[in-house]
């Protein structure tokens, strides 16, 4: 007997029925999820939040943050400062390093609420307009960045070091930057760049000091000349007065 056109096999029947059951089961869940998605996250999930105030690269921010946000999330996702990178996201690689009150910290391992009332500096805050920080310039000149992903963290760690120690040795630079991983293995170039930036800074400081000393010497010399001129003029006036009296 020939099979009719509209007959279906047992396999087709079971597959069709199973699909219908799955659709009927999932539909209410999807509807509920879509409804919840239209609500603010804190309202739908009841996530605790806190109002904080902090300085980021010199600018004050007052905002409501969820207590679960990390400092890296706040900077990247809510302040748009994406120069801070997230690598391991568990406090091991150092790509997310920023300065918190001048001290290098892993922003992926610090909660945003912990930054309340404090000052944060990111890689975006190093340059002065179009003028790079000497440390950034040294990184370029010494081929510090390779793939570049870890560079912002390396820069901030090095900046923290030079802030507290303006004359580090090579060993001190290596020790300070131990917590920053470079998967391109460009560590020697980073150390050279930091040392070069320190030398450049010291040279500029010495030049300014020398300039101030030269200016002081010139001022003292001019003062001495003025004093000598006054003395000569007074002596001449005295001599003329004595001659007239005679």
């Amino acid at each position: 007997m020939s099979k009719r056109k509209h007959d279906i096999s047992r396999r087709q029947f079971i597959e069709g029925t199973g699909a219908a059951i799955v659709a009927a089961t999932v539909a209410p869940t999807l509807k509920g999820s879509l409804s919840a998605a239209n609500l603010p996250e804190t309202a739908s999930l009841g996530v605790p939040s806190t109002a904080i105030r902090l300085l980021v690269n010199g600018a004050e921010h007052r905002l409501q943050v969820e207590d679960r946000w990390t400092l890296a999330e706040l900077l990247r996702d809510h302040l748009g400062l994406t120069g801070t990178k997230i690598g391991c996201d568990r406090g091991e690689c150092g790509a997310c390093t920023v300065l918190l009150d001048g001290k290098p910290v892993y922003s992926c391992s610090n909660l945003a609420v912990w930054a309340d009332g404090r000052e944060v500096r990111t890689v975006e805050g190093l340059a002065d307009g179009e003028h790079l920080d000497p440390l950034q310039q040294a990184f370029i000149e010494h081929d510090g960045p390779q793939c570049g992903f870890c560079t912002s963290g390396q820069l901030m760690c090095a900046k923290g070091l030079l802030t507290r120690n303006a004359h580090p040795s090579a060993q001190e630079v290596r020790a300070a930057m131990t917590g920053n991983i470079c998967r391109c293995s460009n560590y020697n170039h980073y150390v050279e760049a930091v040392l070069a930036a320190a030398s450049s800074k010291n040279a500029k400081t010495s030049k300014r000091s020398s300039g101030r000393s030269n200016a002081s010497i010139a001022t003292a010399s001019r003062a001495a000349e003025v004093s000598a001129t006054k003395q000569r003029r007074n002596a001449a006036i005295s001599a003329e007065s004595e001659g007239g009296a005679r």
Side-chain angles (χ1 to χ4, degrees), residues 1 6 11 22 53 62 66 87 103 115 119 143 161 175 181 186 214 221-222 224 226 244:
M1 183 177 181
H6 297 291
R11 178 183 295 276
V22 170
R53 179 190 67 82
R62 296 175 181 269
E66 293 183 6
K103 179 182 178 181
E119 183 175 359
D143 296 324
L161 167 64
I181 295 175
N186 207 37
N214 293 336
S221 178
R222 285 194 296 270
V226 170

Side-chain angles (χ1 to χ4, degrees), residues 51-72:
I52 67 171
R53 179 190 67 82
L54 72 163
L55 287 177
V56 180
N57 298 329
E60 184 181 81
H61 295 271
R62 296 175 181 269
L63 61 166
Q64 196 80 12
V65 302
E66 293 183 6
D67 293 350
R68 63 183 179 177
W69 288 352
T70 64
L71 181 55

